[in-house]
mmCIF file of all heavy atoms in Angstrom:
data_model
loop_
_atom_site.group_PDB
_atom_site.id
_atom_site.type_symbol
_atom_site.label_atom_id
_atom_site.label_comp_id
_atom_site.label_asym_id
_atom_site.label_seq_id
_atom_site.Cartn_x
_atom_site.Cartn_y
_atom_site.Cartn_z
ATOM 1 N N MET A 1 95.695 14.988 132.919
ATOM 2 C CA MET A 1 97.021 14.526 133.326
ATOM 3 C C MET A 1 96.974 14.035 134.768
ATOM 4 O O MET A 1 96.583 14.771 135.662
ATOM 5 C CB MET A 1 98.004 15.684 133.187
ATOM 6 C CG MET A 1 99.426 15.207 132.947
ATOM 7 S SD MET A 1 100.445 16.558 132.338
ATOM 8 C CE MET A 1 101.376 16.912 133.802
ATOM 9 N N SER A 2 97.330 12.809 134.962
ATOM 10 C CA SER A 2 97.265 12.247 136.306
ATOM 11 C C SER A 2 98.601 12.358 137.027
ATOM 12 O O SER A 2 99.650 12.078 136.477
ATOM 13 C CB SER A 2 96.848 10.781 136.232
ATOM 14 O OG SER A 2 97.047 10.171 137.484
ATOM 15 N N PHE A 3 98.505 12.758 138.250
ATOM 16 C CA PHE A 3 99.698 12.870 139.080
ATOM 17 C C PHE A 3 100.315 11.505 139.325
ATOM 18 O O PHE A 3 101.502 11.370 139.543
ATOM 19 C CB PHE A 3 99.311 13.525 140.386
ATOM 20 C CG PHE A 3 100.471 13.746 141.316
ATOM 21 C CD1 PHE A 3 101.359 14.789 141.072
ATOM 22 C CD2 PHE A 3 100.670 12.932 142.406
ATOM 23 C CE1 PHE A 3 102.424 15.004 141.921
ATOM 24 C CE2 PHE A 3 101.743 13.150 143.266
ATOM 25 C CZ PHE A 3 102.609 14.186 143.028
ATOM 26 N N TYR A 4 99.465 10.499 139.253
ATOM 27 C CA TYR A 4 99.912 9.151 139.594
ATOM 28 C C TYR A 4 100.455 8.382 138.401
ATOM 29 O O TYR A 4 100.922 7.269 138.539
ATOM 30 C CB TYR A 4 98.753 8.372 140.232
ATOM 31 C CG TYR A 4 98.322 9.004 141.521
ATOM 32 C CD1 TYR A 4 97.204 9.840 141.550
ATOM 33 C CD2 TYR A 4 99.035 8.801 142.689
ATOM 34 C CE1 TYR A 4 96.816 10.445 142.728
ATOM 35 C CE2 TYR A 4 98.648 9.401 143.874
ATOM 36 C CZ TYR A 4 97.541 10.230 143.894
ATOM 37 O OH TYR A 4 97.164 10.825 145.056
ATOM 38 N N GLN A 5 100.354 8.980 137.240
ATOM 39 C CA GLN A 5 100.852 8.295 136.062
ATOM 40 C C GLN A 5 102.373 8.195 136.120
ATOM 41 O O GLN A 5 103.049 9.114 136.548
ATOM 42 C CB GLN A 5 100.458 9.078 134.810
ATOM 43 C CG GLN A 5 99.665 8.224 133.843
ATOM 44 C CD GLN A 5 99.046 9.078 132.760
ATOM 45 O OE1 GLN A 5 99.358 10.257 132.630
ATOM 46 N NE2 GLN A 5 98.178 8.495 131.976
ATOM 47 N N LYS A 6 102.868 7.074 135.658
ATOM 48 C CA LYS A 6 104.314 6.903 135.601
ATOM 49 C C LYS A 6 104.890 7.852 134.568
ATOM 50 O O LYS A 6 104.360 7.992 133.487
ATOM 51 C CB LYS A 6 104.657 5.474 135.171
ATOM 52 C CG LYS A 6 104.941 4.554 136.329
ATOM 53 C CD LYS A 6 105.556 3.275 135.787
ATOM 54 C CE LYS A 6 105.680 2.228 136.859
ATOM 55 N NZ LYS A 6 106.184 0.972 136.334
ATOM 56 N N GLN A 7 105.978 8.460 134.918
ATOM 57 C CA GLN A 7 106.642 9.316 133.950
ATOM 58 C C GLN A 7 107.300 8.456 132.890
ATOM 59 O O GLN A 7 107.917 7.457 133.199
ATOM 60 C CB GLN A 7 107.728 10.128 134.649
ATOM 61 C CG GLN A 7 107.193 11.334 135.362
ATOM 62 C CD GLN A 7 108.317 12.274 135.743
ATOM 63 O OE1 GLN A 7 109.456 11.847 135.879
ATOM 64 N NE2 GLN A 7 108.013 13.531 135.911
ATOM 65 N N SER A 8 107.122 8.850 131.662
ATOM 66 C CA SER A 8 107.858 8.139 130.630
ATOM 67 C C SER A 8 108.292 9.107 129.550
ATOM 68 O O SER A 8 107.620 10.084 129.254
ATOM 69 C CB SER A 8 107.021 7.013 130.043
ATOM 70 O OG SER A 8 105.857 7.519 129.461
ATOM 71 N N THR A 9 109.435 8.834 129.012
ATOM 72 C CA THR A 9 110.013 9.671 127.976
ATOM 73 C C THR A 9 109.815 8.991 126.633
ATOM 74 O O THR A 9 110.125 7.814 126.481
ATOM 75 C CB THR A 9 111.522 9.870 128.239
ATOM 76 O OG1 THR A 9 111.692 10.359 129.562
ATOM 77 C CG2 THR A 9 112.118 10.847 127.252
ATOM 78 N N ASP A 10 109.282 9.746 125.687
ATOM 79 C CA ASP A 10 109.092 9.190 124.352
ATOM 80 C C ASP A 10 110.426 9.191 123.616
ATOM 81 O O ASP A 10 110.984 10.245 123.332
ATOM 82 C CB ASP A 10 108.064 10.037 123.611
ATOM 83 C CG ASP A 10 107.670 9.421 122.282
ATOM 84 O OD1 ASP A 10 108.349 8.470 121.838
ATOM 85 O OD2 ASP A 10 106.695 9.886 121.692
ATOM 86 N N VAL A 11 110.945 8.000 123.336
ATOM 87 C CA VAL A 11 112.249 7.905 122.676
ATOM 88 C C VAL A 11 112.122 7.261 121.296
ATOM 89 O O VAL A 11 113.117 6.835 120.711
ATOM 90 C CB VAL A 11 113.262 7.106 123.535
ATOM 91 C CG1 VAL A 11 113.596 7.864 124.809
ATOM 92 C CG2 VAL A 11 112.734 5.721 123.858
ATOM 93 N N SER A 12 110.878 7.210 120.801
ATOM 94 C CA SER A 12 110.651 6.517 119.526
ATOM 95 C C SER A 12 111.449 7.157 118.391
ATOM 96 O O SER A 12 111.884 6.486 117.461
ATOM 97 C CB SER A 12 109.169 6.497 119.193
ATOM 98 O OG SER A 12 108.650 7.802 119.161
ATOM 99 N N ARG A 13 111.669 8.462 118.487
ATOM 100 C CA ARG A 13 112.399 9.129 117.389
ATOM 101 C C ARG A 13 113.899 8.819 117.416
ATOM 102 O O ARG A 13 114.619 9.088 116.472
ATOM 103 C CB ARG A 13 112.165 10.634 117.419
ATOM 104 C CG ARG A 13 112.663 11.314 118.663
ATOM 105 C CD ARG A 13 112.676 12.812 118.464
ATOM 106 N NE ARG A 13 111.323 13.381 118.454
ATOM 107 C CZ ARG A 13 111.075 14.673 118.501
ATOM 108 N NH1 ARG A 13 112.066 15.526 118.572
ATOM 109 N NH2 ARG A 13 109.846 15.133 118.481
ATOM 110 N N LEU A 14 114.373 8.243 118.535
ATOM 111 C CA LEU A 14 115.793 7.885 118.620
ATOM 112 C C LEU A 14 116.081 6.557 117.926
ATOM 113 O O LEU A 14 117.225 6.218 117.658
ATOM 114 C CB LEU A 14 116.233 7.795 120.089
ATOM 115 C CG LEU A 14 116.094 9.092 120.904
ATOM 116 C CD1 LEU A 14 116.575 8.862 122.326
ATOM 117 C CD2 LEU A 14 116.879 10.226 120.275
ATOM 118 N N GLY A 15 115.005 5.793 117.655
ATOM 119 C CA GLY A 15 115.189 4.518 116.968
ATOM 120 C C GLY A 15 115.996 3.516 117.765
ATOM 121 O O GLY A 15 116.795 2.773 117.222
ATOM 122 N N LEU A 16 115.790 3.512 119.071
ATOM 123 C CA LEU A 16 116.540 2.607 119.940
ATOM 124 C C LEU A 16 116.032 1.185 119.818
ATOM 125 O O LEU A 16 114.850 0.945 119.650
ATOM 126 C CB LEU A 16 116.404 3.053 121.399
ATOM 127 C CG LEU A 16 117.074 4.368 121.770
ATOM 128 C CD1 LEU A 16 116.693 4.750 123.184
ATOM 129 C CD2 LEU A 16 118.567 4.253 121.642
ATOM 130 N N LYS A 17 116.970 0.252 119.918
ATOM 131 C CA LYS A 17 116.594 -1.159 119.931
ATOM 132 C C LYS A 17 117.278 -1.841 121.095
ATOM 133 O O LYS A 17 118.429 -1.563 121.396
ATOM 134 C CB LYS A 17 116.990 -1.836 118.621
ATOM 135 C CG LYS A 17 115.997 -1.539 117.529
ATOM 136 C CD LYS A 17 116.214 -2.433 116.336
ATOM 137 C CE LYS A 17 115.180 -2.123 115.262
ATOM 138 N NZ LYS A 17 115.375 -2.934 114.069
ATOM 139 N N CYS A 18 116.552 -2.760 121.686
ATOM 140 C CA CYS A 18 117.115 -3.526 122.790
ATOM 141 C C CYS A 18 118.204 -4.453 122.248
ATOM 142 O O CYS A 18 117.943 -5.237 121.341
ATOM 143 C CB CYS A 18 116.006 -4.326 123.466
ATOM 144 S SG CYS A 18 116.627 -5.425 124.739
ATOM 145 N N PRO A 19 119.428 -4.352 122.785
ATOM 146 C CA PRO A 19 120.522 -5.202 122.298
ATOM 147 C C PRO A 19 120.330 -6.661 122.692
ATOM 148 O O PRO A 19 121.000 -7.544 122.164
ATOM 149 C CB PRO A 19 121.762 -4.604 122.969
ATOM 150 C CG PRO A 19 121.249 -3.897 124.177
ATOM 151 C CD PRO A 19 119.845 -3.440 123.852
ATOM 152 N N GLU A 20 119.442 -6.900 123.608
ATOM 153 C CA GLU A 20 119.230 -8.251 124.107
ATOM 154 C C GLU A 20 118.243 -9.018 123.219
ATOM 155 O O GLU A 20 118.504 -10.127 122.792
ATOM 156 C CB GLU A 20 118.695 -8.176 125.545
ATOM 157 C CG GLU A 20 118.751 -9.470 126.280
ATOM 158 C CD GLU A 20 120.064 -9.637 127.042
ATOM 159 O OE1 GLU A 20 120.898 -8.729 127.026
ATOM 160 O OE2 GLU A 20 120.232 -10.704 127.643
ATOM 161 N N CYS A 21 117.102 -8.419 122.923
ATOM 162 C CA CYS A 21 116.067 -9.135 122.179
ATOM 163 C C CYS A 21 115.711 -8.446 120.865
ATOM 164 O O CYS A 21 114.945 -8.977 120.076
ATOM 165 C CB CYS A 21 114.830 -9.326 123.055
ATOM 166 S SG CYS A 21 113.996 -7.793 123.444
ATOM 167 N N GLY A 22 116.248 -7.244 120.622
ATOM 168 C CA GLY A 22 116.055 -6.580 119.342
ATOM 169 C C GLY A 22 114.736 -5.847 119.163
ATOM 170 O O GLY A 22 114.445 -5.341 118.092
ATOM 171 N N VAL A 23 113.967 -5.777 120.221
ATOM 172 C CA VAL A 23 112.682 -5.082 120.130
ATOM 173 C C VAL A 23 112.939 -3.568 120.102
ATOM 174 O O VAL A 23 113.916 -3.090 120.675
ATOM 175 C CB VAL A 23 111.781 -5.494 121.334
ATOM 176 C CG1 VAL A 23 112.060 -4.643 122.561
ATOM 177 C CG2 VAL A 23 110.319 -5.438 120.961
ATOM 178 N N SER A 24 112.108 -2.833 119.389
ATOM 179 C CA SER A 24 112.319 -1.388 119.355
ATOM 180 C C SER A 24 111.722 -0.751 120.602
ATOM 181 O O SER A 24 110.660 -1.132 121.070
ATOM 182 C CB SER A 24 111.742 -0.780 118.083
ATOM 183 O OG SER A 24 110.371 -1.042 118.003
ATOM 184 N N ILE A 25 112.456 0.228 121.123
ATOM 185 C CA ILE A 25 112.065 0.860 122.382
ATOM 186 C C ILE A 25 111.470 2.232 122.079
ATOM 187 O O ILE A 25 112.115 3.068 121.454
ATOM 188 C CB ILE A 25 113.292 0.981 123.298
ATOM 189 C CG1 ILE A 25 113.837 -0.410 123.608
ATOM 190 C CG2 ILE A 25 112.926 1.718 124.585
ATOM 191 C CD1 ILE A 25 115.284 -0.400 124.058
ATOM 192 N N GLU A 26 110.247 2.439 122.516
ATOM 193 C CA GLU A 26 109.570 3.705 122.231
ATOM 194 C C GLU A 26 109.420 4.584 123.452
ATOM 195 O O GLU A 26 109.323 5.800 123.341
ATOM 196 C CB GLU A 26 108.213 3.420 121.606
ATOM 197 C CG GLU A 26 108.384 2.673 120.291
ATOM 198 C CD GLU A 26 107.092 2.531 119.541
ATOM 199 O OE1 GLU A 26 106.033 2.749 120.135
ATOM 200 O OE2 GLU A 26 107.169 2.191 118.341
ATOM 201 N N LYS A 27 109.367 3.957 124.604
ATOM 202 C CA LYS A 27 109.222 4.755 125.820
ATOM 203 C C LYS A 27 110.127 4.247 126.920
ATOM 204 O O LYS A 27 110.364 3.051 127.053
ATOM 205 C CB LYS A 27 107.764 4.713 126.303
ATOM 206 C CG LYS A 27 106.906 5.623 125.488
ATOM 207 C CD LYS A 27 105.509 5.699 126.056
ATOM 208 C CE LYS A 27 104.657 6.625 125.193
ATOM 209 N NZ LYS A 27 103.281 6.713 125.696
ATOM 210 N N LEU A 28 110.631 5.178 127.692
ATOM 211 C CA LEU A 28 111.490 4.825 128.817
ATOM 212 C C LEU A 28 111.018 5.578 130.047
ATOM 213 O O LEU A 28 110.528 6.692 129.945
ATOM 214 C CB LEU A 28 112.935 5.239 128.511
ATOM 215 C CG LEU A 28 113.700 4.413 127.493
ATOM 216 C CD1 LEU A 28 115.033 5.081 127.211
ATOM 217 C CD2 LEU A 28 113.933 3.009 127.993
ATOM 218 N N PRO A 29 111.190 4.977 131.208
ATOM 219 C CA PRO A 29 110.819 5.670 132.446
ATOM 220 C C PRO A 29 111.873 6.676 132.885
ATOM 221 O O PRO A 29 111.796 7.223 133.955
ATOM 222 C CB PRO A 29 110.677 4.521 133.457
ATOM 223 C CG PRO A 29 111.565 3.453 132.949
ATOM 224 C CD PRO A 29 111.615 3.599 131.447
ATOM 225 N N PHE A 30 112.868 6.886 132.036
ATOM 226 C CA PHE A 30 113.927 7.846 132.359
ATOM 227 C C PHE A 30 114.463 8.418 131.064
ATOM 228 O O PHE A 30 114.164 7.925 129.985
ATOM 229 C CB PHE A 30 115.058 7.173 133.142
ATOM 230 C CG PHE A 30 115.627 5.974 132.418
ATOM 231 C CD1 PHE A 30 116.643 6.133 131.487
ATOM 232 C CD2 PHE A 30 115.105 4.700 132.646
ATOM 233 C CE1 PHE A 30 117.155 5.035 130.822
ATOM 234 C CE2 PHE A 30 115.610 3.597 131.978
ATOM 235 C CZ PHE A 30 116.635 3.770 131.061
ATOM 236 N N LYS A 31 115.258 9.472 131.177
ATOM 237 C CA LYS A 31 115.867 10.041 129.975
ATOM 238 C C LYS A 31 117.170 9.318 129.675
ATOM 239 O O LYS A 31 118.033 9.213 130.550
ATOM 240 C CB LYS A 31 116.128 11.534 130.178
ATOM 241 C CG LYS A 31 114.862 12.341 130.108
ATOM 242 C CD LYS A 31 115.178 13.810 129.985
ATOM 243 C CE LYS A 31 113.887 14.612 129.885
ATOM 244 N NZ LYS A 31 114.133 16.054 129.788
ATOM 245 N N PRO A 32 117.301 8.822 128.465
ATOM 246 C CA PRO A 32 118.525 8.096 128.121
ATOM 247 C C PRO A 32 119.708 9.040 127.986
ATOM 248 O O PRO A 32 119.578 10.152 127.493
ATOM 249 C CB PRO A 32 118.183 7.452 126.778
ATOM 250 C CG PRO A 32 117.132 8.320 126.182
ATOM 251 C CD PRO A 32 116.366 8.921 127.335
ATOM 252 N N ARG A 33 120.844 8.578 128.446
ATOM 253 C CA ARG A 33 122.063 9.366 128.271
ATOM 254 C C ARG A 33 122.804 8.856 127.056
ATOM 255 O O ARG A 33 122.687 7.700 126.672
ATOM 256 C CB ARG A 33 122.971 9.214 129.487
ATOM 257 C CG ARG A 33 122.434 9.915 130.687
ATOM 258 C CD ARG A 33 123.449 9.822 131.795
ATOM 259 N NE ARG A 33 122.795 9.985 133.092
ATOM 260 C CZ ARG A 33 123.370 9.654 134.238
ATOM 261 N NH1 ARG A 33 124.574 9.130 134.236
ATOM 262 N NH2 ARG A 33 122.756 9.834 135.370
ATOM 263 N N ARG A 34 123.592 9.734 126.503
ATOM 264 C CA ARG A 34 124.368 9.357 125.327
ATOM 265 C C ARG A 34 125.358 8.253 125.704
ATOM 266 O O ARG A 34 125.999 8.329 126.755
ATOM 267 C CB ARG A 34 125.137 10.575 124.815
ATOM 268 C CG ARG A 34 125.222 10.582 123.303
ATOM 269 C CD ARG A 34 125.910 11.835 122.842
ATOM 270 N NE ARG A 34 124.938 12.910 122.611
ATOM 271 C CZ ARG A 34 125.289 14.104 122.154
ATOM 272 N NH1 ARG A 34 126.549 14.387 121.921
ATOM 273 N NH2 ARG A 34 124.375 15.015 121.935
ATOM 274 N N GLY A 35 125.462 7.259 124.867
ATOM 275 C CA GLY A 35 126.418 6.183 125.115
ATOM 276 C C GLY A 35 125.913 5.132 126.091
ATOM 277 O O GLY A 35 126.586 4.167 126.400
ATOM 278 N N MET A 36 124.698 5.333 126.566
ATOM 279 C CA MET A 36 124.102 4.414 127.528
ATOM 280 C C MET A 36 123.488 3.242 126.775
ATOM 281 O O MET A 36 122.911 3.419 125.714
ATOM 282 C CB MET A 36 123.000 5.207 128.241
ATOM 283 C CG MET A 36 122.539 4.629 129.537
ATOM 284 S SD MET A 36 121.280 5.749 130.196
ATOM 285 C CE MET A 36 120.720 4.768 131.555
ATOM 286 N N THR A 37 123.641 2.039 127.329
ATOM 287 C CA THR A 37 122.992 0.893 126.711
ATOM 288 C C THR A 37 121.564 0.802 127.224
ATOM 289 O O THR A 37 121.334 0.735 128.423
ATOM 290 C CB THR A 37 123.743 -0.403 127.047
ATOM 291 O OG1 THR A 37 125.114 -0.225 126.709
ATOM 292 C CG2 THR A 37 123.181 -1.573 126.264
ATOM 293 N N ILE A 38 120.614 0.849 126.297
ATOM 294 C CA ILE A 38 119.209 0.859 126.676
ATOM 295 C C ILE A 38 118.573 -0.491 126.375
ATOM 296 O O ILE A 38 118.625 -0.971 125.251
ATOM 297 C CB ILE A 38 118.446 1.951 125.889
ATOM 298 C CG1 ILE A 38 119.145 3.306 126.015
ATOM 299 C CG2 ILE A 38 117.004 2.023 126.355
ATOM 300 C CD1 ILE A 38 119.105 3.917 127.385
ATOM 301 N N TYR A 39 117.986 -1.071 127.378
ATOM 302 C CA TYR A 39 117.277 -2.335 127.210
ATOM 303 C C TYR A 39 115.778 -2.079 127.284
ATOM 304 O O TYR A 39 115.332 -1.109 127.899
ATOM 305 C CB TYR A 39 117.686 -3.315 128.305
ATOM 306 C CG TYR A 39 119.132 -3.730 128.226
ATOM 307 C CD1 TYR A 39 120.108 -3.027 128.906
ATOM 308 C CD2 TYR A 39 119.500 -4.813 127.450
ATOM 309 C CE1 TYR A 39 121.434 -3.397 128.823
ATOM 310 C CE2 TYR A 39 120.820 -5.192 127.362
ATOM 311 C CZ TYR A 39 121.788 -4.482 128.046
ATOM 312 O OH TYR A 39 123.099 -4.847 127.956
ATOM 313 N N CYS A 40 115.023 -2.963 126.662
ATOM 314 C CA CYS A 40 113.574 -2.876 126.764
ATOM 315 C C CYS A 40 113.173 -3.185 128.210
ATOM 316 O O CYS A 40 113.954 -3.770 128.953
ATOM 317 C CB CYS A 40 112.916 -3.846 125.786
ATOM 318 S SG CYS A 40 113.059 -5.581 126.264
ATOM 319 N N PRO A 41 111.972 -2.781 128.609
ATOM 320 C CA PRO A 41 111.568 -2.975 130.005
ATOM 321 C C PRO A 41 111.713 -4.413 130.475
ATOM 322 O O PRO A 41 112.101 -4.651 131.613
ATOM 323 C CB PRO A 41 110.094 -2.549 129.999
ATOM 324 C CG PRO A 41 109.991 -1.589 128.865
ATOM 325 C CD PRO A 41 110.979 -2.060 127.836
ATOM 326 N N GLU A 42 111.419 -5.369 129.604
ATOM 327 C CA GLU A 42 111.501 -6.772 130.004
ATOM 328 C C GLU A 42 112.936 -7.189 130.291
ATOM 329 O O GLU A 42 113.216 -7.838 131.298
ATOM 330 C CB GLU A 42 110.906 -7.660 128.917
ATOM 331 C CG GLU A 42 109.409 -7.527 128.863
ATOM 332 C CD GLU A 42 108.734 -8.851 128.521
ATOM 333 O OE1 GLU A 42 109.451 -9.843 128.310
ATOM 334 O OE2 GLU A 42 107.505 -8.859 128.486
ATOM 335 N N CYS A 43 113.842 -6.841 129.400
ATOM 336 C CA CYS A 43 115.236 -7.220 129.590
ATOM 337 C C CYS A 43 115.847 -6.431 130.743
ATOM 338 O O CYS A 43 116.673 -6.953 131.482
ATOM 339 C CB CYS A 43 116.020 -6.993 128.311
ATOM 340 S SG CYS A 43 115.531 -8.116 126.998
ATOM 341 N N ALA A 44 115.430 -5.186 130.912
ATOM 342 C CA ALA A 44 115.934 -4.385 132.023
ATOM 343 C C ALA A 44 115.535 -5.038 133.338
ATOM 344 O O ALA A 44 116.319 -5.090 134.283
ATOM 345 C CB ALA A 44 115.380 -2.966 131.944
ATOM 346 N N LYS A 45 114.324 -5.552 133.374
ATOM 347 C CA LYS A 45 113.832 -6.220 134.570
ATOM 348 C C LYS A 45 114.670 -7.469 134.844
ATOM 349 O O LYS A 45 115.095 -7.722 135.956
ATOM 350 C CB LYS A 45 112.369 -6.614 134.337
ATOM 351 C CG LYS A 45 111.522 -6.499 135.607
ATOM 352 C CD LYS A 45 110.170 -7.114 135.372
ATOM 353 C CE LYS A 45 109.089 -6.043 135.260
ATOM 354 N NZ LYS A 45 107.750 -6.638 135.058
ATOM 355 N N LYS A 46 114.885 -8.254 133.786
ATOM 356 C CA LYS A 46 115.665 -9.481 133.929
ATOM 357 C C LYS A 46 117.073 -9.163 134.421
ATOM 358 O O LYS A 46 117.620 -9.852 135.272
ATOM 359 C CB LYS A 46 115.763 -10.207 132.592
ATOM 360 C CG LYS A 46 114.515 -10.993 132.264
ATOM 361 C CD LYS A 46 114.716 -11.687 130.928
ATOM 362 C CE LYS A 46 113.366 -12.094 130.341
ATOM 363 N NZ LYS A 46 113.507 -12.487 128.932
ATOM 364 N N ARG A 47 117.654 -8.115 133.858
ATOM 365 C CA ARG A 47 119.024 -7.765 134.233
ATOM 366 C C ARG A 47 119.098 -7.289 135.670
ATOM 367 O O ARG A 47 120.086 -7.492 136.355
ATOM 368 C CB ARG A 47 119.549 -6.690 133.294
ATOM 369 C CG ARG A 47 119.785 -7.238 131.889
ATOM 370 C CD ARG A 47 120.221 -6.140 130.957
ATOM 371 N NE ARG A 47 121.510 -5.587 131.370
ATOM 372 C CZ ARG A 47 122.687 -6.130 131.022
ATOM 373 N NH1 ARG A 47 122.740 -7.200 130.264
ATOM 374 N NH2 ARG A 47 123.814 -5.583 131.427
ATOM 375 N N LYS A 48 118.054 -6.627 136.123
ATOM 376 C CA LYS A 48 118.025 -6.167 137.508
ATOM 377 C C LYS A 48 117.964 -7.349 138.469
ATOM 378 O O LYS A 48 118.512 -7.310 139.557
ATOM 379 C CB LYS A 48 116.799 -5.275 137.737
ATOM 380 C CG LYS A 48 117.134 -3.816 137.560
ATOM 381 C CD LYS A 48 115.983 -2.945 138.018
ATOM 382 C CE LYS A 48 116.189 -1.497 137.590
ATOM 383 N NZ LYS A 48 115.015 -0.674 137.878
ATOM 384 N N GLN A 49 117.264 -8.387 138.045
ATOM 385 C CA GLN A 49 117.101 -9.554 138.915
ATOM 386 C C GLN A 49 118.370 -10.394 138.951
ATOM 387 O O GLN A 49 118.625 -11.094 139.908
ATOM 388 C CB GLN A 49 115.912 -10.392 138.440
ATOM 389 C CG GLN A 49 114.585 -9.705 138.778
ATOM 390 C CD GLN A 49 113.407 -10.319 138.066
ATOM 391 O OE1 GLN A 49 113.576 -11.160 137.202
ATOM 392 N NE2 GLN A 49 112.212 -9.889 138.397
ATOM 393 N N GLN A 50 119.142 -10.305 137.872
ATOM 394 C CA GLN A 50 120.388 -11.059 137.831
ATOM 395 C C GLN A 50 121.451 -10.378 138.682
ATOM 396 O O GLN A 50 121.419 -9.176 138.863
ATOM 397 C CB GLN A 50 120.901 -11.145 136.397
ATOM 398 C CG GLN A 50 120.174 -12.198 135.597
ATOM 399 C CD GLN A 50 120.622 -12.163 134.150
ATOM 400 O OE1 GLN A 50 121.409 -11.315 133.761
ATOM 401 N NE2 GLN A 50 120.110 -13.061 133.361
ATOM 402 N N LYS A 51 122.373 -11.196 139.163
ATOM 403 C CA LYS A 51 123.460 -10.560 139.908
ATOM 404 C C LYS A 51 124.774 -10.819 139.220
ATOM 405 O O LYS A 51 124.950 -11.844 138.602
ATOM 406 C CB LYS A 51 123.513 -11.089 141.321
ATOM 407 C CG LYS A 51 122.656 -10.226 142.215
ATOM 408 C CD LYS A 51 123.104 -10.351 143.675
ATOM 409 C CE LYS A 51 122.383 -9.324 144.532
ATOM 410 N NZ LYS A 51 122.771 -9.500 145.930
HETATM 411 ZN ZN1 ZN B 101 114.800 -6.688 125.278
#
């Protein structure tokens, strides 16, 4: 186990899908909250860059 590894939460059992592109999300760098809209890493990145 590396101290430097990025933390990621396995969310594959939640069956989450990105509402933007429809890709299934298996891992997140954070714990999802109920009712939270979860985007795939790519769309999350795009949304962060947008204002
Ligand atoms: Zn996406």
